[in-house]
Amino acid sequence: MTPRPGTMRLACMFSSILLFGAAGLLLFISLQDPTELAPQQAPGIKFNIRPRQPHHDLPPGGSQDGDLKAPTERITRDLSSGAPRGRSLPAPDQPQSPLQRGTRLRLRQRRRRLLIKKMPAAATIPANSSDVPFIRPRPGTLDGRWVSLHRSQQERKRVMQEACAKYRASSSRRAVTSRHVSRIFVEDRHRVLYCEVPKAGCSNWKRVLMVLAGLASSTADIQHNTVHYGSALKRLDTFDRQGIMHRLSTYTKMLFVREPFERLVSAFRDKFEHPNSYYHPVFGKAILARYRANASREALRTGSGVRFPEFVQYLLDVHRPVGMDIHWDHVSRLCSPCLIDYDFVGKFESMEDDANFFLSLIRAPRNLTFPRFKDRHSQEARTTARIAHQYFAQLSALQRQRTYDFYYMDYLMFNYSKPFADLY
């Protein structure tokens, strides 16, 4: 029996619709971003840390504020991937089918979502970054205070990254070596990396890390020599390259800084105004021999009695009689912040707030707070801006300017204002 013409036309139309739909589906799949079709994994763990809620059902010996969850439970989707590249969209003046217009609209919407996810945008971020998102305050914490501390962190990171992008653009392209991480201490239990900046609270921060690691029950129980001359805390450069890069990409990286002139005066007072069996014979003798005319035999024998202007002469001398020391070296050299993307930047001047905010972020035990006691020479006043000004008043205007130039990157990266009005 011969099919009727109407039936054949209907069958042809139906076949055409099916073919057109299949072609449209293939075109849509070919244009779809493959990174959205497959699950993504961040280069490192993204820290989605929330303050710990009270628990009342823990078994005896259980930790209410103990370790973070295993890494596999905290890996989140990488939201920092770039927008889709390499797409050729139809020119505006070309006629487009409804399918093409819909596809283009979806691409625009996806790009917009990716841009929103990446905000706030900052300068170039090193590859070993691990972003710390906004954190909700734990119960009992004032929302306004928490928001203020979080915004302060955002601003500090922004300023630091902009300074790096402007003056140390090549640093972000360099490979991390063991030298770059030699001042970083590791606390595996809470997945923390701390870059030590001497004279910026480093002794007490090491005490805190030892308590976090379970090596002591209280920061007050840890003596100075145990902090600085023991081997309880591991340095990052003691791991192999895989261990270094894994921790850089997955642990919370933090450093604390201090106003450079105050840090310098604090180091001078500690090392040269008190008996010291290392700094006097190693640094003091060399400084007195080079910069003090007619130094006494006793001074040359012991290295004691170095004056602040003589110490600054040594610091600024390109041909120093003895090398640089970590207590007055630049933070930019000690911690390589243009190469390593630190998640948290604290300041000595706001130590208590910043430190306890950080301890909340890493879910430290509730009873652990940053210690307030002075590690050495406890009867002596801490070095303040007023005391630092008294020491720098002993220098000429040119010496102050050269010292400011010496620490210029630290002033710029950490947004410290000029300590003297005549500096430029």
Side-chain angles (χ1 to χ4, degrees), residues 18-76:
L18 285 178
L19 289 173
F20 183 80
L25 180 62
L26 290 174
L27 178 61
F28 172 77
I29 292 174
S30 67
L31 291 174
Q32 180 71 14
D33 187 355
T35 61
E36 294 200 353
L37 294 176
Q40 297 174 334
Q41 180 170 314
I45 294 173
K46 300 292 182 184
F47 288 87
N48 186 18
I49 304 172
R50 294 183 179 87
R52 187 177 292 264
Q53 301 292 332
H55 295 292
H56 305 289
D57 55 349
L58 292 175
S63 172
Q64 176 174 331
D65 300 288
D67 298 346
L68 301 180
K69 293 181 180 180
T72 54
E73 298 178 25
R74 298 191 301 121
I75 294 179
T76 62

Side-chain angles (χ1 to χ4, degrees), residues 74-89:
R74 298 191 301 121
I75 294 179
T76 62
R77 185 167 178 164
D78 182 11
L79 302 182
S80 60
S81 58
R85 298 176 183 176
R87 301 251 169 78
S88 57
L89 298 177

Side-chain angles (χ1 to χ4, degrees), residues 124-410:
T124 302
I125 298 178
N128 54 45
S129 63
S130 56
D131 300 331
V132 180
F134 175 73
I135 314 301
R136 291 184 180 178
R138 68 169 113 187
T141 303
L142 294 177
D143 289 19
R145 186 59 168 267
W146 195 278
V147 169
S148 175
L149 289 168
H150 175 72
R151 287 176 177 170
S152 176
Q153 282 301 310
Q154 287 183 315
E155 178 65 12
R156 288 174 188 175
K157 289 192 67 177
R158 182 191 66 78
V159 170
M160 185 173 69
Q161 290 166 356
E162 285 183 356
C164 289
K166 185 173 182 180
Y167 294 99
R168 301 280 175 85
S170 60
S171 295
S172 61
R173 297 191 294 271
R174 294 162 58 193
V176 176
T177 67
S178 58
R179 182 189 70 79
H180 295 121
V181 299
S182 62
R183 307 308 314 171
I184 296 180
F185 288 87
V186 179
E187 201 286 282
D188 285 313
R189 204 166 156 193
H190 290 78
R191 306 173 71 81
V192 171
L193 299 180
Y194 164 63
C195 185
E196 174 192 33
V197 177
K199 313 312 298 179
C202 68
S203 299
N204 281 337
W205 264 118
K206 289 181 186 177
R207 288 184 171 94
V208 169
L209 293 181
M210 292 174 73
V211 173
L212 288 173
L215 302 174
S217 59
S218 169
T219 55
D221 300 334
I222 308 172
Q223 299 299 314
H224 176 84
N225 287 349
T226 304
V227 170
H228 290 287
Y229 306 118
S231 57
L233 293 174
K234 293 181 180 179
R235 295 178 188 266
L236 189 55
D237 64 349
T238 62
F239 295 87
D240 59 20
R241 180 160 184 79
Q242 183 179 358
I244 291 173
M245 299 311 296
H246 167 71
R247 286 168 175 82
L248 283 175
S249 63
T250 61
Y251 283 25
T252 305
K253 303 175 288 295
M254 66 102 165
L255 78 163
F256 271 71
V257 299
R258 187 176 184 178
E259 202 281 335
F261 277 17
E262 291 180 31
R263 178 171 167 253
L264 181 66
V265 171
S266 177
F268 173 78
R269 295 174 72 199
D270 181 27
K271 305 306 179 188
F272 295 101
E273 292 186 348
H274 300 275
N276 192 295
S277 60
Y278 174 74
Y279 284 91
H280 288 192
V282 174
F283 288 85
K285 290 167 70 171
I287 290 172
L288 292 172
R290 173 72 68 90
Y291 306 109
R292 181 178 295 182
N294 304 317
S296 68
R297 288 185 177 181
E298 180 66 12
L300 293 174
R301 184 183 68 83
T302 63
S304 301
V306 173
R307 303 182 187 114
F308 187 65
E310 295 166 339
F311 173 66
V312 171
Q313 278 185 281
Y314 143 78
L315 181 73
L316 301 177
D317 193 345
V318 293
H319 303 292
R320 298 185 190 95
V322 62
M324 183 56 68
D325 183 80
I326 60 170
H327 289 83
W328 44 84
D329 204 351
H330 315 80
V331 176
S332 54
R333 277 171 48 93
L334 293 171
C335 297
S336 302
C338 292
L339 182 62
I340 298 170
D341 183 38
Y342 287 90
D343 303 299
F344 192 95
V345 181
K347 289 194 172 184
F348 184 85
E349 294 76 18
S350 53
M351 176 64 79
E352 187 172 359
D353 284 346
D354 288 351
N356 292 324
F357 180 52
F358 178 78
L359 291 174
S360 296
L361 294 181
I362 65 167
R363 302 180 186 182
R366 298 278 178 84
N367 61 352
L368 176 61
T369 57
F370 192 80
R372 298 182 179 184
F373 58 82
K374 197 168 184 284
D375 189 48
R376 284 153 57 90
H377 319 305
S378 57
Q379 303 304 315
E380 188 175 82
R382 292 185 185 273
T383 302
T384 60
R386 182 182 61 81
I387 292 175
H389 273 244
Q390 292 174 355
Y391 278 79
F392 273 88
Q394 303 172 33
L395 306 181
S396 66
L398 178 59
Q399 285 178 312
R400 285 197 298 269
Q401 181 64 51
R402 290 187 61 203
T403 308
Y404 176 74
D405 294 341
F406 184 82
Y407 288 110
Y408 178 72
M409 279 303 297
D410 284 358

